[in-house]
Amino acid sequence: MAQESAEAKINALSTELKLLRKGLGVQAKNLPGNVGEALREVCGVHDDDAPGTVRAKVVATLVSLIEKLPAPQRETARIVLGFGTGANERYTARLELLGSGADRNVRTMQRRADDVLYLIAETAYQSPAEFGGAPPDSRDPWHTKTLAVRLTLTGAAAEVFETRRIVSHVAGLEEIEHGVSLARPASTTAPPDLSRLGIDVVAGGEVHSVRLASSTRVAFRLRPPRPLDAGDQHEFFFRIRLDELPVPFYCCTPEFPCDSFDLNVRFDRTEPPQRIWRIDGDLSKDAGDPVPPRKPLFLDSAGEVRTEFHGLQPARSYGVGWQPAG
């Protein structure tokens, strides 16, 4: 019975996705009013959500579900649902894009489109608690699609290069609140010195309003070149320079959901750490604790370690810890 119930849910969602793909797909003006019950459940849509919020939740969920598909099916799914196609390109025109070479039989293309929508529905119910990373709270203004960090350690100093791609959930998103937690070194009780903290945007906007949000957290705002609409994606690339890395670990502890996090740490070759471990979903207060058993990581020939995380949950910590030399 449980299997039949799951199959019924998948079929119901697949049917609703077939209705959604008609016309302009996700670019249709009437999308918020045409979201069926199954899709509303998967996307976390509430009865009192504004149309812009409904659109944002549906777009964010579908984007995340498509990313979970096998690589050959992702581009097909984007075309079928209307992502990245022309503003006035209707379903029949998009369907022709699925043809390749002599394989332009309408039935074949239609079957290919139906199959990929079934895969999306199936993926949505593989992990009911996540539903493809849709924001569980309609008040979330954005979420992180991809985060890539390159941390370079030279003696006590550290340099962080971060590339972050965010997806807006609201119309007119003008600023992204961001922050860095800098735990105090054991040798001092003083808060971080902002005058010695270097934060520079290399591409994607500008940094402003750098301030202390607490005794161990520095907050700042990232402003994109133009306001973002619901479903828009934008990428920031910025650098943070520290005279001293306060603690022997680096983590991402997201405030809003994060689809994926790629972390690369390059250690000082003259003082490699004694051991390195992966921090995966720990409570923030436990992230720096070296005692709990964790998966070990090992330096490559360049003195680096790299690890990836997917489906990061808010208020949990993900990253790398190490025991310094000596």
Side-chain angles (χ1 to χ4, degrees):
M1 292 297 292
Q3 183 175 356
E4 291 178 3
S5 177
E7 186 71 19
K9 287 185 175 182
I10 293 171
N11 286 331
L13 181 56
S14 177
T15 298
E16 291 184 9
L17 290 174
K18 290 177 183 178
L19 295 175
L20 187 71
R21 74 187 177 189
K22 290 184 176 180
L24 300 179
V26 295
Q27 300 188 53
K29 291 182 179 180
N30 61 349
L31 180 145
N34 290 336
V35 179
E37 289 301 316
L39 191 56
R40 290 172 69 89
E41 178 187 3
V42 165
C43 300
V45 172
H46 304 298
D47 291 341
D48 58 351
D49 282 344
T53 301
V54 174
R55 180 184 296 275
K57 288 184 175 183
V58 171
V59 167
T61 301
L62 292 177
V63 166
S64 185
L65 287 172
I66 289 171
E67 287 301 312
K68 296 177 186 295
L69 295 179
Q73 278 76 47
R74 290 174 197 160
E75 185 60 25
T76 297
R78 295 187 186 101
I79 292 173
V80 169
L81 290 171
F83 286 102
T85 55
N88 296 312
E89 202 155 24
R90 305 185 70 82
Y91 175 61
T92 51
R94 299 197 307 274
L95 196 62
E96 294 178 0
L97 297 175
L98 299 181
S100 57
D103 184 16
R104 295 188 178 275
N105 181 276
V106 174
R107 289 187 178 181
T108 299
M109 293 184 286
Q110 184 69 60
R111 186 171 59 251
R112 194 181 306 171
D114 290 347
D115 288 347
V116 79
L117 292 184
Y118 185 88
L119 284 177
I120 291 174
E122 192 176 57
T123 301
Y125 288 109
Q126 284 178 355
S127 180
E130 295 182 12
F131 288 137
D137 189 333
S138 62
R139 293 171 295 181
D140 290 354
W142 53 272
H143 82 277
T144 299
K145 179 177 175 62
T146 57
L147 171 63
V149 171
R150 301 294 178 264
L151 170 63
T152 300
L153 304 171
T154 307
E159 196 165 21
V160 180
F161 296 91
E162 176 173 314
T163 303
R164 181 183 293 266
R165 176 173 289 274
I166 66 105
V167 181
S168 174
H169 297 171
V170 298
L173 183 67
E174 297 182 345
E175 294 181 335
I176 290 88
E177 183 79 11
H178 197 41
V180 179
S181 293
L182 301 174
R184 299 187 190 97
S187 59
T188 180
T189 59
D193 183 354
L194 293 183
S195 66
R196 303 180 67 181
L197 179 65
I199 304 176
D200 303 304
V201 170
V202 179
E206 61 176 331
V207 164
H208 70 96
S209 303
V210 180
R211 64 196 186 283
L212 283 176
S214 71
S215 60
T216 59
R217 182 172 175 78
V218 176
F220 55 94
R221 293 179 179 176
L222 292 163
R223 180 183 293 144
R226 60 174 182 79
L228 306 178
D229 287 331
D232 282 356
Q233 298 186 25
H234 186 70
E235 188 170 276
F236 292 96
F237 175 36
F238 60 92
R239 175 180 61 186
I240 301 175
R241 290 159 295 159
L242 303 169
D243 291 338
E244 179 184 5
L245 189 69
V247 289
F249 66 89
Y250 185 93
C251 286
C252 170
T253 306
E255 180 180 359
F256 305 125
C258 176
D259 292 347
S260 69
F261 172 36
D262 180 4
L263 174 60
N264 188 98
V265 183
R266 183 180 182 90
F267 290 90
D268 191 328
R269 299 289 293 274
T270 63
E271 296 181 302
Q274 294 185 43
R275 69 185 184 98
I276 311 168
W277 56 86
R278 175 181 163 99
I279 300 169
D280 192 354
D282 288 17
L283 295 172
S284 57
K285 65 182 180 63
D286 298 331
D289 190 340
V291 175
R294 295 190 178 98
K295 179 181 178 180
L297 298 173
F298 304 95
L299 292 175
D300 63 17
S301 59
E304 301 179 1
V305 293
R306 178 178 179 179
T307 188
E308 297 181 358
F309 305 89
H310 299 277
L312 286 70
Q313 298 300 306
R316 294 281 179 166
S317 294
Y318 306 81
V320 169
W322 60 91
Q323 182 178 351

